[in-house]
Amino acid sequence: MAGNLFKQTGSLSRLIIRRDRIRIPLWLIGLSFFTLMVPVSFTDLYATQQARDVMAETMKNPAMTAMVGPGNLENYTIGAMTTHQMLLLTAVVVGLMSVLLVTRHTRADEEDGRIEMIRSLPAGRLSNLNATLFVLCVTNVILALITGFGLYALGIESMDLEGSLLYGAALGSTGIIFAGVTALFAQLSESSRGTVGFSIAVLILAYLVRAIGDVGNESLSWLSPLGWVTQTEAYSSNNWWPIVLMLGVSIILFILANYLNAIRDLEAGFFPSRPGRKYASSFLQSPLGLALRLQRTGTIAWAVGMLLMGLSYGSVMGDLESFFQGNEMMEQMLATTAEGYSITEQFIPMLMIIMALLATVAPIMAMNKLYAEEKKNRIEHLLGRAVSRTRLMGSYLIISVVNGFIMISFAAIGLWAAGAAVTDEGFEFGMIYGAAIAYYPAMLVMIGIAVFLIGFIPKRNILLWLYVFYSFIVLYLGGLFQFPEWVGKLSPFGHIPQLPIEEFEFMPIFILTIIAVILMVAGFIGYKKRDIEG
């Protein structure tokens, strides 16, 4: 009888692999490429131990420890530097990958009616959940092996085989434990939005608890799975027992998810849903009001996240001058970049690029929500009423445009508030906000591309996410990888003047705005003519 619960798990695993034959390889390629390129770049940039020791001094800061975790700063080899600066942040992305993939094949499929169809076939009650967990475990093991053996294959002196395999194992274990977290919330929540929201909330909470523990009470870090990641100390102490701990907790989460899945009704959750109003307001009955209501929680969460990110980056600003003061190599490198500006002012453009790219994610998601609703057959009943396609798409576009403005503004406000508090002279709000809002036209271009894709080839919206990822690589890591300047110019963000160390130029801003408008208009035309999925 128990065997019937898992019947056809293998067949469902092959189905999941078939459905994600592009998505999973893209995740693996992106994460592996990013992991393997960083130590190579570190080798070129910090060729001597003296240069690495200088970098270690810059990392001896509570704010930096809160961001990237503790590290072996006394013996700051290329391996130790890679683990310290990249392992935790990469692990967060791996955790996000697991959250999205598990949700897609559990609660999201349940919402769309696929699980009901699967259960009508000779398949076990727990087969789909365990097929999902099996595929995710295999995916994370493959990631661990690729990164582990790949790092060792680089042939860098301080990156031995054991440390490399431990580095990969830390990434894979993070993915597996957050697959378990998401599988558990897929049973507790009754919607895919709730599953993603709760799972990402745990991911963020794990990061914050670890940050507080690393800076203050070290024992607090042991309450966070991400704290266990940093305790592996790859290329230094090479502690394997945190990996065992993570896998043990993952097994417990898998068992709990299976138990809850076995006792609950299909499409039901254990968290009670709050009843809505008996009568909808007039605003909610409009396409704009409905779209805004569907995205309200996500928008608020992203806005708070952007504010916190700005605050965390701003908290670092107070120590930059003391870090680089007296260090001739760093002073000369920064002086050649923007002579006459302080180190802190030269640091601002790099932060703005990061914040602008992350702030772009939210409005793109808000715009893509239109196609997500279309795939779930929720658009026909709107268009069947006195609602035109132009009005419907326009509602989502308005939300997306406002969303982008809010995100970049909150990030700038957080950066200014924290920076003003930790620096002696403070920052002018106009300078910080102007440097941030200058990226808004580039964000509009990205929104315009989303509108264009929805209008003509909505099933290819993955191209936009690849473009965003490309922009991050070439602009944030361009100096690290020594890319030529034209590579950055292929992204709209590469045309924005880097305030305050560069003069403001109106023409690139104007041209990007025109391009954004053209893309949006073309997208509206395409959306009016193409068939709506049924």
Side-chain angles (χ1 to χ4, degrees):
M1 184 67 179
N4 292 333
L5 293 175
F6 304 97
K7 190 176 180 180
Q8 298 297 333
T9 299
S11 299
L12 290 173
S13 298
R14 290 191 292 272
L15 175 63
I16 291 172
I17 294 173
R18 176 71 175 80
R19 291 176 59 195
D20 282 351
R21 64 190 183 279
I22 296 177
R23 186 174 276 102
I24 289 177
L26 284 176
W27 275 108
L28 293 176
I29 292 171
L31 288 167
S32 301
F33 172 80
F34 185 74
T35 300
L36 298 178
M37 285 299 295
V38 168
V40 174
S41 301
F42 281 166
T43 303
D44 295 333
L45 288 175
Y46 308 100
T48 65
Q49 188 59 48
Q50 180 182 4
R52 294 191 287 271
D53 290 339
V54 169
M55 177 55 65
E57 288 298 320
T58 68
M59 303 301 289
K60 291 180 179 179
N61 173 19
M64 297 305 296
T65 300
M67 290 177 63
V68 300
N72 184 9
L73 301 179
E74 302 302 322
N75 186 24
Y76 214 49
T77 62
I78 294 296
M81 179 185 293
T82 301
T83 299
H84 183 214
Q85 298 190 24
M86 301 309 305
L87 178 58
L88 178 62
L89 299 179
T90 309
V92 171
V93 179
V94 173
L96 179 62
M97 174 192 73
S98 291
V99 169
L100 297 177
L101 291 178
V102 172
T103 302
R104 167 179 164 81
H105 294 291
T106 53
R107 181 54 74 168
D109 276 355
E110 198 166 330
E111 277 186 329
D112 294 340
R114 293 192 183 97
I115 303 300
E116 183 178 5
M117 182 179 65
I118 289 172
R119 289 193 181 179
S120 68
L121 301 171
R125 183 182 184 91
L126 302 178
S127 298
N128 187 77
L129 174 61
N130 285 278
T132 301
L133 294 176
F134 173 75
V135 171
L136 262 294
C137 287
V138 171
T139 298
N140 282 287
V141 168
I142 293 174
L143 175 65
L145 293 175
I146 292 175
T147 54
F149 285 108
L151 288 170
Y152 177 67
L154 295 177
I156 298 174
E157 182 179 358
S158 59
M159 302 179 72
D160 58 5
L161 179 60
E162 182 182 3
S164 299
L165 291 178
L166 179 56
Y167 192 105
L171 294 180
S173 299
T174 304
I176 291 173
I177 196 171
F178 278 99
V181 169
T182 311
L184 181 61
F185 279 117
Q187 316 311 316
L188 297 175
S189 177
E190 63 176 14
S191 68
S192 58
R193 284 191 300 163
T195 301
V196 172
F198 285 121
S199 301
I200 292 181
V202 171
L203 181 62
I204 295 173
L205 182 63
Y207 184 86
L208 293 177
V209 169
R210 177 217 52 82
I212 296 172
D214 288 344
V215 174
N217 186 359
E218 184 178 346
S219 60
L220 191 61
S221 297
W222 294 107
L223 300 177
S224 167
L226 296 179
W228 306 339
V229 171
T230 60
Q231 291 299 324
T232 57
E233 297 182 359
Y235 302 118
S236 297
S237 301
N238 288 337
N239 298 322
W240 282 90
W241 55 266
I243 304 299
V244 177
L245 178 61
M246 295 174 73
L247 295 178
V249 173
S250 300
I251 293 173
I252 295 173
L253 292 171
F254 288 2
I255 293 173
L256 286 174
N258 273 275
Y259 172 73
L260 295 178
N261 186 269
I263 64 174
R264 72 175 176 87
D265 293 331
L266 189 66
E267 298 186 6
F270 289 92
F271 289 162
S273 58
R274 187 179 62 181
R277 295 179 180 179
K278 187 175 182 180
Y279 299 103
S281 65
S282 57
F283 179 67
L284 185 58
Q285 295 180 48
S286 67
L288 179 61
L290 177 61
L292 185 60
R293 176 64 182 85
L294 292 174
Q295 304 183 49
R296 181 181 62 183
T297 303
T299 301
I300 295 173
W302 267 100
V304 172
M306 294 305 300
L307 179 64
L308 292 175
M309 185 185 68
L311 290 170
S312 64
Y313 282 147
S315 65
V316 183
M317 308 292 273
D319 295 320
L320 291 179
E321 297 286 350
S322 60
F323 283 160
F324 297 127
Q325 187 175 10
N327 187 304
E328 295 181 2
M329 183 187 71
M330 295 300 297
E331 288 181 347
Q332 289 175 2
M333 184 179 71
L334 291 172
T336 57
T337 304
E339 188 174 358
Y341 290 92
S342 67
I343 295 174
T344 303
E345 290 173 328
Q346 296 176 54
F347 194 61
I348 290 175
M350 184 180 71
L351 295 181
M352 291 303 173
I353 291 174
I354 300 172
M355 294 194 305
L357 286 168
L358 291 177
T360 305
V361 174
I364 291 176
M365 292 175 62
M367 193 65 231
N368 285 342
K369 182 69 174 175
L370 174 60
Y371 181 61
E373 293 295 299
E374 180 182 338
K375 289 194 298 183
K376 294 179 179 179
N377 300 322
R378 297 173 181 169
I379 294 297
E380 291 90 337
H381 74 280
L382 289 175
L383 297 178
R385 302 170 66 89
V387 177
S388 66
R389 296 192 186 191
T390 301
R391 184 183 176 192
L392 180 62
M393 175 174 268
S395 299
Y396 280 87
L397 178 59
I398 291 173
I399 292 173
S400 180
V401 170
V402 174
N403 186 308
F405 182 81
I406 291 174
M407 298 306 157
I408 192 66
S409 296
F410 269 59
I413 292 171
L415 179 66
W416 168 79
V422 299
T423 55
D424 295 332
E425 299 179 358
F427 293 113
E428 293 184 7
F429 177 75
M431 184 265 287
I432 295 292
Y433 190 74
I437 209 67
Y439 283 93
Y440 186 58
M443 296 172 66
L444 291 178
V445 171
M446 291 297 191
I447 296 172
I449 295 174
V451 175
F452 181 86
L453 291 175
I454 292 173
F456 290 95
I457 46 175
K459 293 182 179 180
R460 298 292 180 266
N461 58 9
I462 185 66
L463 296 174
L464 179 55
W465 293 117
L466 292 175
Y467 193 34
V468 173
F469 180 72
Y470 168 83
S471 299
F472 176 81
I473 293 295
V474 300
L475 294 176
Y476 176 53
L477 301 176
L480 197 65
F481 296 151
Q482 298 181 346
F483 290 144
E485 184 178 355
W486 66 266
V487 175
K489 295 297 184 181
L490 295 178
S491 167
F493 294 91
H495 296 272
I496 303 299
Q498 297 186 15
L499 304 176
I501 64 174
E502 293 182 356
E503 293 291 332
F504 177 79
E505 296 182 20
F506 175 76
M507 189 54 64
I509 303 296
F510 176 74
I511 293 175
L512 288 175
T513 304
I514 296 299
I515 292 174
V517 172
I518 293 173
L519 288 169
M520 292 174 186
V521 172
F524 272 84
I525 294 173
Y527 190 68
K528 288 179 65 177
K529 293 182 178 180
R530 76 169 175 85
D531 293 334
I532 299 296
E533 287 192 359

